[in-house]
Amino acid sequence: MKKFRVLACTLLVTGFGLTSCSSDDDTAGVNNETQIEGTYNLTAVTTAEPTDFDADGTSHSDQMQETDCYDGSKLVLNADNTFTFEKNGVVVDTSEGTSGCTSATYTGTWEILTGSGSDVIIRATYQDNNDDDVILNLVKAGNEITYTNDFGTYPDRDEDTGGAILTFGAVEYLYVK
């Protein structure tokens, strides 16, 4: 009976040793879809109407297929409820009909308005270059965040002159983690 107790204790101690925490456990159980913090890269800028901004004869609703000015845009949501917004886009001089790329980096705070798990609505607030508060209502579903500006503008071409213009309409930005 004494040998049985020694054997049982040995197996018990060995079992605890095999189930102890280790450094490989840190990310094994993390579900990236429910984790809000992280880097979300812009993958699509979808406009209400397709444009042929690059004047190659093919129109697209995804403006990232028309210009590389949006490349590098991203949202970085931090665990301390701060964020960084790297916003790249197209600037249009409508009086001259010319365009170019623009970029800006903003920092601010974010909070969950509603939802839980992988589906939440997030309010992100930052100050623009004019010190005006800007509020973005972001919809997170899985590893994607979308922001829709129903009263936005996007680059287009004047049908008569071919010069750069701005068209008013809804613009949806899709960021993927």
Side-chain angles (χ1 to χ4, degrees):
M1 185 69 168
K2 190 174 184 180
K3 286 184 181 182
F4 176 74
R5 285 186 187 165
V6 171
L7 179 61
C9 286
T10 303
L11 289 174
L12 188 60
V13 170
T14 304
F16 283 130
L18 293 175
T19 60
S20 67
C21 297
S22 68
S23 62
D24 65 345
D25 292 337
D26 293 341
T27 58
V30 173
N31 180 347
N32 282 334
E33 290 187 4
T34 59
Q35 184 180 22
I36 294 173
E37 50 280 332
T39 300
Y40 297 82
N41 294 300
L42 184 66
T43 60
V45 178
T46 306
T47 54
E49 296 293 326
T51 69
D52 185 19
F53 187 67
D54 62 3
D56 68 352
T58 304
S59 297
H60 295 96
S61 292
D62 181 0
Q63 296 306 303
M64 291 186 78
Q65 295 180 6
E66 292 294 321
T67 177
D68 61 1
C69 288
Y70 298 101
D71 292 356
S73 293
K74 63 184 166 184
L75 288 167
V76 180
L77 302 178
N78 301 308
D80 65 355
N81 289 71
T82 61
F83 79 100
T84 302
F85 182 22
E86 293 184 23
K87 183 179 180 182
N88 302 327
V90 178
V91 62
V92 173
D93 180 344
T94 55
S95 64
E96 297 291 324
T98 58
S99 65
C101 296
T102 184
S103 66
T105 300
Y106 303 103
T107 58
T109 59
W110 64 270
E111 64 181 328
I112 296 175
L113 291 181
T114 186
S116 63
S118 64
D119 298 323
V120 295
I121 297 176
I122 300 166
R123 173 176 289 152
T125 305
Y126 68 91
Q127 286 190 331
D128 66 12
N129 294 335
N130 298 320
D131 291 328
D132 293 325
D133 286 338
V134 177
I135 297 173
L136 304 175
N137 288 318
L138 310 171
V139 177
K140 181 183 180 300
N143 285 329
E144 298 180 348
I145 288 180
T146 56
Y147 165 67
T148 302
N149 184 348
D150 289 324
F151 304 103
T153 59
Y154 51 92
D156 203 348
R157 293 284 171 193
D158 182 279
E159 290 180 14
D160 296 327
T161 66
I165 61 171
L166 290 173
T167 297
F168 294 92
V171 182
E172 180 181 272
Y173 301 86
L174 175 63
Y175 297 85
V176 178
K177 191 181 216 182

